[in-house]
Amino acid sequence: MGHSQADKAQTHERIVAIASRRLRERGLEGIGVADVMEEAGLTVGGFYKHFDSREALVVEALAASFGTWQAQIGAQATGGEKLTIEKLIGNYLSNDHRDNPGKGCAISALAADLARSSPTTRKQCTEQVQHNLDLVAGLLEIGDDASKRARAIFAFSVMVGAVSLARAVCDKALSDEILATAATRLKAMATEG
Amino acid sequence: MGHSQADKAQTHERIVAIASRRLRERGLEGIGVADVMEEAGLTVGGFYKHFDSREALVVEALAASFGTWQAQIGAQATGGEKLTIEKLIGNYLSNDHRDNPGKGCAISALAADLARSSPTTRKQCTEQVQHNLDLVAGLLEIGDDASKRARAIFAFSVMVGAVSLARAVCDKALSDEILATAATRLKAMATEG
DNA sequence: TGTACATCAGTGAACGCGCGTTCACTGATGTAC
DNA sequence: TGTACATCAGTGAACGCGCGTTCACTGATGTAC
C-alpha cells in the first residue's frame, strides 16, 4: 500500500469538512470541485481518488453538515448544563447563527435548494427534519406526545422561517428585529402549552 | 420602426412571465437564457434585444414574481369576500401553494438563494418582506401597532418556514402534517392577542 | 538490516459539454415621397 | 394609393469561458525477499 490509509482518510475528512461548510454558505450548486480541492491544499485531479463524482461529495458533505450540527447540539446537552428549549431557540435564532450559515443548521441554509434536489439528498433532508422534530419535542415539558409533536413542528417552522428571512433581507435592523421578535415569542410559547 | 412596439412589449412580458415562474420553480441559478426563450417560442439570439444580460432578466422576473403575488392577494381582497388573516394563512400553508412554487410566494421559494444573491435582488427581497409584514399586520385586529408588528413577523416566519420544510421533505405524510399543523396553530394564534 | 519492487495519493494538463454572449443576416412592418 | 427605403425583432451559428471529468505521470510509502 502506497501512502498510509490514515493519511488518506484524514485528507478525505478535510475535503468533506470544507465542502460541508461551503455547501451551507453557497448552496448545493455553489460548491466547485476545483475550489474545494484548492482550499484543502490539493489539486483537482486527486479529487477522484476520494469521490466518484461531485454529486457523491455533495451527499457526503450534506451528511456531514447534519452530523456536525447534531454533534454541536449534543455537546451542549452533555457539556455542563442541560440543553433546554429556550437555549436551543436562543441559539438557532441568534445573530451568530444567522451570520455563520457555514457552521449552522443545513436545513435553514439549504431549504430551497433541497426542495429542488435529487431524491438522495431529499431523503437525507427528510430524516434530518424528523430527527430535529423529535429533538425539539423531547425538550418540551408540558402536554401529551401529540401536543408536543405539533408544537415542535410549529417551533421548528418558526426557527427555519425566521433565520431564512433574517438572512435574505439586506437591512440589518429588520434582520435583527425578525430574529429577536421570533425568539421572544417562541420562547414564551414553548414554555406554555 | 420595424415590428410594432406593442408586439415587442408583449414578447417582453411573455419572457418575463416565463422566467418569473421558472425562477420560483428552479431558483435564481436554475434559469437559462436559451431555455426561457425556447419556452417563449423564440430562439436564443433575440434575447439581447430585450435584456442587457441574464442578470437583468433575473431582476425583472423577480420583480414580476413579487408583483403577481401581491396582485393575487389583492384580487382576493377586492373580489367578493374580504381577505382575512385566516384565509391568507390557509392559502399560504395549502398543499396547492406547496406544490406550485411557480405560482406562489417568491420569498419562500427563493429564501436561501436570495440570502446569497446580489445586492440588487436582496434589496428587492427586503422591500417585499417589509410589504408582506405590513400586509399581515394590517389583517390583525387585536392589539396595538407594536403587537401587530411582532405577531406579523412571527406569523410570516411560520409561513415561510413551514412551506420551506414541506417542500424540502420527500415524505408526503410528513409534508402534509407540517402544513396542517402550522396552519391550525397559526390561525388560532392570529385571532388571539 | 538492506535493497528492489509494487502500490497508489496526488499532480497538472487536456478534454468536452453547457451556457451566456456576440454577430452577420433575414424579412416583416412602418415611414417617406 | 402605390412604391422604394429604413428599421429592427427575431434567427441561428459561432465564440469563449467555467467547470466536471479523464489521464498519463510522479514520487513517497509500504511490502517482499
Side-chain angles (χ1 to χ4, degrees), chain A residues 71-170:
Chain A
Q72 271 176 250
I73 302 294
Q76 285 189 347
T78 54
E81 9 175 15
K82 220 165 63 179
L83 179 68
T84 62
I85 183 71
E86 288 98 333
K87 277 186 205 159
L88 180 66
I89 293 170
N91 259 324
Y92 206 107
L93 294 175
S94 67
N95 289 6
D96 187 64
H97 186 206
R98 175 195 63 198
D99 298 335
N100 295 286
K103 293 188 289 186
C105 174
I107 293 173
S108 51
L110 300 170
D113 298 71
L114 287 165
R116 317 171 201 118
S117 67
S118 73
T120 313
T121 50
R122 292 188 74 198
K123 190 103 183 291
Q124 290 178 279
C125 169
T126 306
E127 281 163 20
Q128 186 63 22
V129 168
Q130 287 282 22
H131 179 91
N132 285 352
L133 292 177
D134 290 345
L135 173 75
V136 175
L139 293 174
L140 298 174
E141 293 178 343
I142 307 166
D144 59 16
D145 282 359
S147 164
K148 286 182 181 176
R149 168 84 177 172
R151 284 182 290 148
I153 289 175
F154 194 76
F156 194 55
S157 297
V158 174
M159 291 194 269
V160 170
V163 168
S164 296
L165 286 175
R167 282 180 182 154
V169 146
C170 67

XYZ file of all heavy atoms in Angstrom, chain A residues 71-170:
729
model
N -23.997 17.021 16.501
C -22.907 16.913 17.468
C -22.801 18.183 18.308
O -22.604 18.121 19.525
C -21.589 16.661 16.745
N -22.965 19.336 17.679
C -22.926 20.612 18.392
C -24.015 20.661 19.456
O -23.775 21.042 20.589
C -23.165 21.773 17.422
C -21.906 22.317 16.771
C -22.251 23.392 15.773
O -22.113 23.198 14.577
N -22.719 24.547 16.255
N -25.223 20.296 19.038
C -26.355 20.275 19.965
C -26.083 19.281 21.079
O -26.289 19.572 22.249
C -27.656 19.886 19.231
C -27.927 20.854 18.086
C -28.832 19.840 20.200
C -28.223 22.254 18.530
N -25.591 18.110 20.688
C -25.288 17.074 21.669
C -24.249 17.550 22.675
O -24.373 17.288 23.884
N -23.245 18.271 22.194
C -22.194 18.774 23.077
C -22.775 19.721 24.121
O -22.396 19.685 25.291
C -21.125 19.487 22.251
N -23.707 20.553 23.685
C -24.367 21.464 24.624
C -25.161 20.683 25.656
O -25.213 21.054 26.826
C -25.318 22.401 23.874
C -24.599 23.496 23.104
C -25.575 24.507 22.556
O -26.781 24.265 22.544
N -25.073 25.640 22.118
N -25.812 19.606 25.178
C -26.671 18.820 26.053
C -25.863 18.161 27.171
O -26.298 18.112 28.321
C -27.416 17.763 25.247
N -24.685 17.674 26.834
C -23.888 16.958 27.830
C -22.913 17.885 28.564
O -22.655 17.699 29.743
C -23.084 15.829 27.157
O -22.330 16.390 26.081
C -24.003 14.765 26.621
N -22.380 18.866 27.848
C -21.363 19.742 28.442
C -21.929 20.605 29.563
O -22.558 21.610 29.311
N -21.653 20.228 30.779
C -22.076 21.027 31.932
C -23.581 21.103 32.078
O -24.230 20.169 32.525
N -24.133 22.206 31.631
C -25.555 22.467 31.833
C -26.409 21.726 30.808
O -25.992 21.496 29.688
C -25.805 23.966 31.717
C -24.550 24.678 31.208
C -24.706 26.146 30.943
O -25.687 26.730 31.404
O -23.849 26.679 30.226
N -27.627 21.437 31.176
C -28.527 20.698 30.313
C -29.068 21.597 29.192
O -29.185 22.813 29.361
C -29.695 20.153 31.151
C -30.075 18.739 30.743
C -30.952 18.050 31.771
C -32.287 18.735 31.979
N -33.123 17.999 32.979
N -29.342 20.966 28.060
C -29.939 21.714 26.954
C -31.424 21.918 27.223
O -32.143 20.969 27.539
C -29.768 20.930 25.646
C -30.367 21.585 24.398
C -29.600 22.845 24.034
C -30.357 20.613 23.235
N -31.860 23.155 27.108
C -33.282 23.439 27.275
C -33.831 23.968 25.959
O -33.073 24.348 25.067
C -33.512 24.518 28.347
O -32.880 25.718 27.896
C -32.924 24.096 29.677
N -35.147 23.991 25.858
C -35.776 24.508 24.653
C -35.434 25.991 24.463
O -35.209 26.442 23.339
C -37.314 24.266 24.682
C -37.976 24.735 23.383
C -37.965 24.970 25.863
C -37.673 23.879 22.188
N -35.364 26.727 25.573
C -35.019 28.154 25.467
C -33.632 28.333 24.874
O -33.408 29.213 24.043
C -35.056 28.847 26.844
C -36.449 29.058 27.396
C -36.810 27.972 28.383
O -36.258 26.842 28.265
O -37.638 28.231 29.274
N -32.703 27.513 25.325
C -31.330 27.632 24.815
C -31.270 27.296 23.333
O -30.591 27.972 22.557
C -30.392 26.697 25.590
C -29.917 27.295 26.904
C -28.873 26.383 27.531
C -28.834 26.601 29.040
N -28.241 25.445 29.744
N -31.975 26.238 22.963
C -31.974 25.849 21.554
C -32.543 26.977 20.698
O -31.961 27.355 19.671
C -32.811 24.575 21.352
C -32.871 24.072 19.915
C -31.503 23.602 19.459
C -33.876 22.934 19.765
N -33.650 27.527 21.120
C -34.263 28.636 20.382
C -33.314 29.830 20.329
O -33.098 30.428 19.273
C -35.599 29.045 21.052
C -36.626 27.921 20.908
C -36.132 30.340 20.424
C -37.881 28.131 21.750
N -32.731 30.139 21.478
C -31.803 31.267 21.538
C -30.633 31.085 20.598
O -30.204 32.030 19.915
N -30.112 29.888 20.547
C -29.005 29.589 19.644
C -29.404 29.703 18.186
O -28.728 30.336 17.381
C -28.522 28.151 19.880
C -27.272 28.118 20.723
O -26.423 28.992 20.592
N -27.169 27.136 21.591
N -30.506 29.042 17.871
C -30.942 28.984 16.473
C -31.262 30.373 15.957
O -30.914 30.722 14.823
C -32.176 28.080 16.339
C -32.318 27.456 14.973
C -32.054 26.109 14.773
C -32.707 28.212 13.871
C -32.166 25.524 13.532
C -32.829 27.640 12.619
C -32.558 26.299 12.449
O -32.678 25.740 11.207
N -31.928 31.157 16.793
C -32.362 32.488 16.364
C -31.378 33.579 16.788
O -31.766 34.731 16.974
C -33.765 32.762 16.891
C -34.852 31.849 16.295
C -36.191 32.092 16.966
C -34.973 32.057 14.799
N -30.113 33.226 16.899
C -29.094 34.219 17.277
C -28.498 34.882 16.031
O -28.524 34.320 14.938
C -27.972 33.529 18.048
O -27.263 32.647 17.187
N -27.962 36.079 16.233
C -27.257 36.752 15.137
C -26.066 35.917 14.684
O -25.720 35.903 13.497
C -26.776 38.131 15.589
C -27.923 39.105 15.759
O -29.090 38.736 15.645
N -27.590 40.367 16.023
N -25.462 35.236 15.625
C -24.299 34.416 15.293
C -24.673 33.302 14.312
O -23.950 33.058 13.338
C -23.714 33.825 16.580
C -22.406 33.103 16.318
O -21.454 33.787 15.917
O -22.351 31.873 16.490
N -25.780 32.650 14.567
C -26.207 31.588 13.651
C -26.558 32.180 12.281
O -26.187 31.640 11.248
C -27.409 30.828 14.224
C -27.807 29.630 13.403
N -29.077 29.134 13.390
C -27.095 28.850 12.558
C -29.135 28.092 12.578
N -27.942 27.890 12.055
N -27.264 33.295 12.309
C -27.607 33.964 11.050
C -26.366 34.305 10.234
O -26.315 34.070 9.024
C -28.372 35.251 11.337
C -28.656 36.069 10.067
C -29.071 37.493 10.406
N -28.007 38.217 11.078
C -28.177 39.338 11.788
N -29.390 39.853 11.921
N -27.159 39.937 12.365
N -25.341 34.812 10.906
C -24.156 35.310 10.194
C -23.163 34.221 9.818
O -22.219 34.480 9.079
C -23.454 36.376 11.040
C -24.350 37.591 11.281
O -25.250 37.813 10.433
O -24.159 38.292 12.281
N -23.363 33.024 10.343
C -22.425 31.932 10.046
C -23.153 30.675 9.580
O -23.104 29.644 10.261
C -21.582 31.626 11.295
C -20.702 32.787 11.677
O -19.694 33.062 11.028
N -21.097 33.505 12.710
N -23.790 30.755 8.443
C -24.512 29.581 7.942
C -23.593 28.376 7.766
O -24.036 27.244 7.912
C -25.076 30.050 6.596
C -24.271 31.251 6.220
C -23.878 31.884 7.514
N -22.332 28.637 7.482
C -21.380 27.545 7.253
C -21.177 26.657 8.470
O -20.763 25.505 8.347
N -21.466 27.194 9.654
C -21.315 26.405 10.875
C -22.673 25.999 11.443
O -22.736 25.338 12.475
C -20.564 27.227 11.936
C -19.123 27.502 11.572
C -18.344 28.153 12.724
C -18.789 29.588 12.944
N -17.946 30.298 13.954
N -23.760 26.401 10.770
C -25.082 26.231 11.360
C -25.912 25.097 10.812
O -25.399 24.134 10.247
N -27.211 25.232 10.976
C -28.162 24.204 10.561
C -28.310 24.196 9.041
O -28.593 25.222 8.423
C -29.521 24.472 11.207
S -30.815 23.371 10.624
N -28.098 23.015 8.449
C -28.128 22.909 6.993
C -29.535 23.086 6.440
O -29.704 23.491 5.283
C -27.563 21.563 6.556
N -30.528 22.797 7.240
C -31.901 22.863 6.735
C -32.304 24.300 6.423
O -32.828 24.584 5.351
C -32.878 22.214 7.739
C -32.578 20.712 7.798
C -34.325 22.436 7.312
C -33.331 19.980 8.860
N -32.034 25.207 7.339
C -32.379 26.601 7.044
C -31.457 27.174 5.964
O -31.855 28.032 5.185
C -32.339 27.459 8.306
O -31.124 27.295 8.984
N -30.231 26.679 5.903
C -29.298 27.198 4.894
C -29.640 26.715 3.494
O -29.342 27.379 2.509
C -27.868 26.796 5.247
N -30.268 25.532 3.408
C -30.436 24.890 2.109
C -31.871 24.522 1.757
O -32.099 23.831 0.761
C -29.584 23.613 2.065
C -28.086 23.801 2.261
C -27.408 22.460 2.444
C -27.493 24.546 1.071
N -32.826 24.988 2.557
C -34.217 24.557 2.376
C -34.674 24.633 0.918
O -35.144 23.639 0.363
C -35.139 25.383 3.263
N -34.507 25.787 0.302
C -34.979 25.952 -1.068
C -34.212 25.035 -2.025
O -34.803 24.428 -2.916
C -34.846 27.404 -1.502
N -32.901 24.925 -1.822
C -32.089 24.048 -2.674
C -32.524 22.597 -2.545
O -32.625 21.893 -3.550
C -30.616 24.126 -2.259
C -30.033 25.507 -2.420
O -30.399 26.397 -1.629
O -29.239 25.703 -3.335
N -32.757 22.170 -1.306
C -33.122 20.774 -1.065
C -34.439 20.428 -1.735
O -34.619 19.316 -2.236
C -33.186 20.504 0.438
C -31.811 20.450 1.118
C -31.939 20.544 2.626
C -31.074 19.183 0.726
N -35.358 21.382 -1.764
C -36.662 21.142 -2.377
C -36.527 20.776 -3.856
O -37.360 20.071 -4.402
C -37.546 22.369 -2.216
N -35.473 21.259 -4.494
C -35.281 21.002 -5.937
C -34.187 19.973 -6.200
O -33.768 19.788 -7.343
C -34.863 22.288 -6.651
C -35.599 23.526 -6.271
C -34.920 24.740 -6.911
N -35.262 25.956 -6.214
C -34.390 26.750 -5.589
N -33.097 26.465 -5.627
N -34.789 27.834 -4.962
N -33.687 19.343 -5.162
C -32.513 18.485 -5.317
C -32.889 17.050 -5.634
O -34.056 16.702 -5.772
C -31.660 18.555 -4.059
O -32.359 17.969 -2.977
N -31.890 16.206 -5.714
C -32.070 14.801 -6.075
C -32.778 14.044 -4.951
O -32.755 14.472 -3.797
C -30.707 14.161 -6.313
O -30.042 13.987 -5.081
N -33.403 12.912 -5.301
C -34.069 12.089 -4.294
C -33.139 11.728 -3.126
O -33.568 11.737 -1.970
C -34.463 10.839 -5.080
C -34.639 11.324 -6.478
C -33.618 12.403 -6.657
N -31.894 11.438 -3.427
C -30.945 11.064 -2.372
C -30.819 12.148 -1.313
O -30.939 11.890 -0.110
C -29.547 10.808 -2.968
O -29.667 9.981 -4.110
C -28.638 10.164 -1.955
N -30.569 13.375 -1.768
C -30.382 14.463 -0.804
C -31.693 14.815 -0.106
O -31.689 15.167 1.067
C -29.791 15.708 -1.489
O -30.544 16.013 -2.654
C -28.356 15.461 -1.906
N -32.799 14.696 -0.799
C -34.085 14.992 -0.163
C -34.385 13.962 0.917
O -34.959 14.281 1.947
C -35.213 15.013 -1.191
C -35.102 16.186 -2.155
C -36.326 16.305 -3.028
N -37.453 16.828 -2.279
C -38.720 16.730 -2.640
N -39.015 16.094 -3.777
N -39.671 17.221 -1.910
N -33.998 12.742 0.651
C -34.175 11.691 1.660
C -33.364 12.035 2.904
O -33.862 11.954 4.028
C -33.700 10.356 1.064
C -34.040 9.133 1.880
C -35.215 8.377 1.304
C -35.596 7.182 2.162
N -34.559 6.110 2.118
N -32.118 12.410 2.704
C -31.268 12.804 3.838
C -31.931 13.924 4.628
O -31.943 13.924 5.850
C -29.906 13.320 3.330
C -28.992 12.270 2.743
C -27.701 12.918 2.233
O -27.667 13.464 1.142
N -26.647 12.859 3.027
N -32.461 14.886 3.870
C -33.103 16.040 4.487
C -34.311 15.611 5.311
O -34.501 16.062 6.441
C -33.507 17.016 3.384
S -34.574 18.331 3.956
N -35.118 14.732 4.762
C -36.319 14.267 5.450
C -35.974 13.643 6.798
O -36.603 13.938 7.819
C -37.052 13.229 4.580
O -37.290 13.787 3.298
C -38.374 12.832 5.209
N -34.957 12.795 6.769
C -34.542 12.160 8.021
C -34.087 13.192 9.039
O -34.385 13.092 10.231
C -33.412 11.153 7.742
C -33.946 9.852 7.175
C -32.858 9.016 6.508
O -31.665 9.246 6.808
O -33.205 8.143 5.688
N -33.352 14.177 8.559
C -32.846 15.197 9.469
C -33.990 16.024 10.051
O -33.965 16.392 11.225
C -31.832 16.094 8.736
C -31.130 17.092 9.619
C -30.289 16.398 10.692
O -29.909 15.238 10.537
N -30.024 17.100 11.774
N -34.981 16.332 9.225
C -36.139 17.085 9.721
C -36.838 16.282 10.814
O -37.143 16.806 11.894
C -37.124 17.417 8.578
C -38.441 17.940 9.130
C -36.510 18.448 7.640
N -37.079 15.001 10.535
C -37.715 14.147 11.549
C -36.889 14.147 12.822
O -37.421 14.292 13.927
C -37.837 12.697 11.031
C -38.893 12.501 9.966
C -40.320 12.426 10.527
O -40.598 12.899 11.626
N -41.224 11.862 9.753
N -35.600 14.013 12.663
C -34.715 13.993 13.830
C -34.843 15.280 14.633
O -34.930 15.260 15.865
C -33.275 13.786 13.375
C -32.296 13.785 14.493
N -31.910 12.641 15.152
C -31.635 14.806 15.100
C -31.066 12.948 16.120
N -30.866 14.263 16.110
N -34.839 16.416 13.921
C -34.926 17.699 14.620
C -36.272 17.886 15.307
O -36.348 18.462 16.388
C -34.683 18.857 13.634
C -33.216 18.979 13.261
O -32.367 18.299 13.836
N -32.915 19.838 12.305
N -37.333 17.398 14.681
C -38.648 17.492 15.306
C -38.679 16.663 16.588
O -39.213 17.109 17.609
C -39.741 17.022 14.334
C -39.963 17.926 13.115
C -41.021 17.329 12.196
C -40.351 19.337 13.535
N -38.076 15.480 16.543
C -38.008 14.655 17.752
C -37.202 15.362 18.836
O -37.568 15.342 20.012
C -37.351 13.295 17.428
C -38.254 12.422 16.578
O -39.463 12.730 16.494
O -37.758 11.446 15.983
N -36.108 15.965 18.408
C -35.261 16.693 19.363
C -36.030 17.801 20.062
O -36.029 17.899 21.292
C -34.064 17.296 18.607
C -33.144 18.231 19.397
C -32.271 17.420 20.346
C -32.292 19.082 18.459
N -36.723 18.621 19.274
C -37.490 19.731 19.853
C -38.616 19.191 20.737
O -38.809 19.653 21.864
C -38.062 20.650 18.750
C -38.965 21.714 19.365
C -36.932 21.299 17.965
N -39.335 18.211 20.224
C -40.442 17.641 21.009
C -39.934 17.108 22.344
O -40.594 17.266 23.384
C -41.118 16.528 20.215
N -38.760 16.514 22.324
C -38.179 15.954 23.542
C -37.830 16.996 24.586
O -37.713 16.685 25.779
N -37.646 18.238 24.126
C -37.291 19.301 25.066
C -38.522 19.957 25.695
O -38.405 20.708 26.669
C -36.456 20.371 24.361
C -35.053 19.939 23.894
C -34.406 21.042 23.087
C -34.188 19.543 25.084
N -39.677 19.685 25.124
C -40.905 20.280 25.665
C -41.345 19.490 26.885
O -41.146 18.268 26.952
C -42.002 20.276 24.589
C -41.674 21.105 23.341
C -42.743 20.911 22.273
C -41.539 22.583 23.684
N -41.936 20.178 27.839
C -42.235 19.508 29.108
C -43.724 19.292 29.355
O -44.122 18.303 29.965
C -41.606 20.288 30.256
C -40.074 20.215 30.179
C -39.372 21.007 31.270
O -40.039 21.861 31.893
O -38.174 20.781 31.484
N -44.517 20.238 28.877
C -45.959 20.146 29.144
C -46.663 19.452 27.978
O -46.214 19.538 26.837
C -46.552 21.554 29.332
C -45.750 22.312 30.393
C -48.022 21.476 29.727
C -46.024 23.780 30.422
N -47.777 18.797 28.255
C -48.631 18.253 27.210
C -48.338 16.809 26.862
O -47.302 16.252 27.251
N -49.258 16.192 26.120
C -49.055 14.812 25.695
C -48.185 14.777 24.434
O -47.799 15.822 23.914
C -50.403 14.117 25.464
C -51.248 14.823 24.415
O -50.702 15.651 23.660
O -52.466 14.556 24.367
N -47.908 13.582 23.922
C -47.000 13.441 22.788
C -47.496 14.165 21.534
O -46.716 14.792 20.833
C -46.783 11.956 22.473
C -45.804 11.323 23.454
O -45.298 12.064 24.339
O -45.544 10.113 23.347
N -48.814 14.048 21.290
C -49.366 14.690 20.098
C -49.195 16.198 20.177
O -48.825 16.855 19.188
C -50.845 14.337 19.942
N -49.441 16.739 21.333
C -49.287 18.176 21.524
C -47.827 18.594 21.361
O -47.515 19.588 20.717
C -49.792 18.569 22.918
O -49.320 19.856 23.257
N -46.940 17.797 21.935
C -45.509 18.090 21.802
C -45.072 18.060 20.351
O -44.338 18.920 19.884
C -44.691 17.081 22.618
C -44.753 17.312 24.121
C -43.869 16.292 24.840
C -43.947 16.486 26.361
N -43.167 15.460 27.079
N -45.531 17.049 19.656
C -45.195 16.919 18.233
C -45.665 18.152 17.468
O -44.917 18.731 16.689
C -45.869 15.663 17.680
C -45.857 15.516 16.168
C -44.576 14.904 15.687
N -44.596 14.686 14.239
C -43.545 14.296 13.548
N -42.388 14.089 14.142
N -43.620 14.112 12.246
N -46.908 18.539 17.695
C -47.469 19.685 16.980
C -46.698 20.953 17.311
O -46.347 21.736 16.411
C -48.942 19.858 17.336
N -46.397 21.136 18.582
C -45.662 22.342 18.973
C -44.235 22.313 18.445
O -43.650 23.351 18.131
C -45.689 22.498 20.494
C -47.052 23.020 20.989
C -47.047 23.218 22.486
N -46.995 21.939 23.183
C -46.389 21.752 24.351
N -45.771 22.747 24.942
N -46.398 20.562 24.909
N -43.664 21.112 18.336
C -42.311 21.000 17.787
C -42.300 21.425 16.314
O -41.409 22.144 15.860
C -41.799 19.570 17.922
N -43.300 20.973 15.565
C -43.409 21.354 14.161
C -43.542 22.862 14.029
O -42.862 23.501 13.222
C -44.627 20.655 13.499
C -44.346 19.164 13.333
C -44.957 21.310 12.159
C -45.517 18.371 12.794
N -44.398 23.407 14.859
C -44.623 24.850 14.833
C -43.336 25.608 15.168
O -42.927 26.522 14.439
C -45.733 25.206 15.826
C -46.282 26.578 15.660
C -47.156 26.875 14.621
C -45.945 27.589 16.538
C -47.676 28.146 14.459
C -46.458 28.864 16.395
C -47.321 29.148 15.352
N -42.679 25.176 16.247
C -41.456 25.857 16.693
C -40.353 25.755 15.637
O -39.667 26.742 15.336
C -40.975 25.256 18.013
N -40.184 24.582 15.058
C -39.120 24.410 14.074
C -39.418 25.226 12.813
O -38.505 25.779 12.193
C -38.934 22.928 13.741
C -37.662 22.642 13.008
C -36.434 23.042 13.533
C -37.674 21.979 11.784
C -35.248 22.800 12.850
C -36.490 21.731 11.093
C -35.282 22.139 11.632
N -40.692 25.321 12.449
C -41.073 26.164 11.311
C -40.684 27.612 11.568
O -40.132 28.288 10.689
C -42.574 26.071 11.042
O -42.930 24.759 10.672
N -40.969 28.101 12.749
C -40.600 29.476 13.095
C -39.100 29.659 12.969
O -38.620 30.628 12.371
C -41.030 29.839 14.533
C -40.501 31.218 14.913
C -42.530 29.799 14.672
N -38.354 28.720 13.527
C -36.892 28.847 13.522
C -36.347 28.897 12.095
O -35.561 29.780 11.750
C -36.271 27.702 14.322
C -36.561 27.801 15.814
S -35.526 26.720 16.831
C -36.527 25.252 16.907
N -36.782 27.942 11.280
C -36.302 27.904 9.891
C -36.744 29.157 9.135
O -35.953 29.786 8.423
C -36.818 26.639 9.176
C -36.541 26.703 7.681
C -36.189 25.394 9.778
N -37.998 29.536 9.303
C -38.515 30.699 8.584
C -37.837 31.985 8.992
O -37.424 32.779 8.136
N -37.675 32.190 10.293
C -37.088 33.443 10.774
C -35.620 33.559 10.351
O -35.177 34.629 9.921
C -37.220 33.544 12.287
N -34.874 32.470 10.453
C -33.463 32.521 10.032
C -33.368 32.757 8.528
O -32.541 33.556 8.068
C -32.715 31.229 10.436
C -31.359 31.145 9.755
C -32.541 31.174 11.938
N -34.223 32.091 7.769
C -34.225 32.290 6.314
C -34.489 33.751 5.974
O -33.774 34.357 5.171
C -35.294 31.422 5.662
O -35.004 30.053 5.849
N -35.523 34.311 6.584
C -35.867 35.713 6.328
C -34.744 36.640 6.779
O -34.352 37.550 6.049
C -37.157 36.081 7.055
C -38.449 35.534 6.468
C -39.624 35.882 7.368
C -38.678 36.084 5.071
N -34.218 36.396 7.969
C -33.172 37.267 8.517
C -31.942 37.266 7.619
O -31.245 38.275 7.496
C -32.806 36.817 9.923
N -31.688 36.142 6.958
C -30.534 36.061 6.058
C -30.811 36.679 4.699
O -29.920 37.219 4.051
C -30.119 34.601 5.863
C -29.339 34.034 7.022
C -28.974 32.583 6.753
N -28.267 31.986 7.881
C -28.252 30.693 8.163
N -28.925 29.846 7.379
N -27.585 30.231 9.194
N -32.041 36.592 4.254
C -32.379 37.068 2.908
C -32.431 38.587 2.846
O -32.046 39.196 1.848
C -33.716 36.486 2.469
N -32.889 39.164 3.908
C -33.064 40.613 3.996
C -31.711 41.322 4.084
O -30.794 40.806 4.700
C -33.944 40.871 5.242
C -33.568 42.146 5.918
C -35.405 40.794 4.866
N -31.574 42.506 3.455
C -30.276 43.182 3.492
C -30.325 44.443 4.352
O -29.477 45.317 4.246
C -29.764 43.478 2.087
S -30.714 44.678 1.169
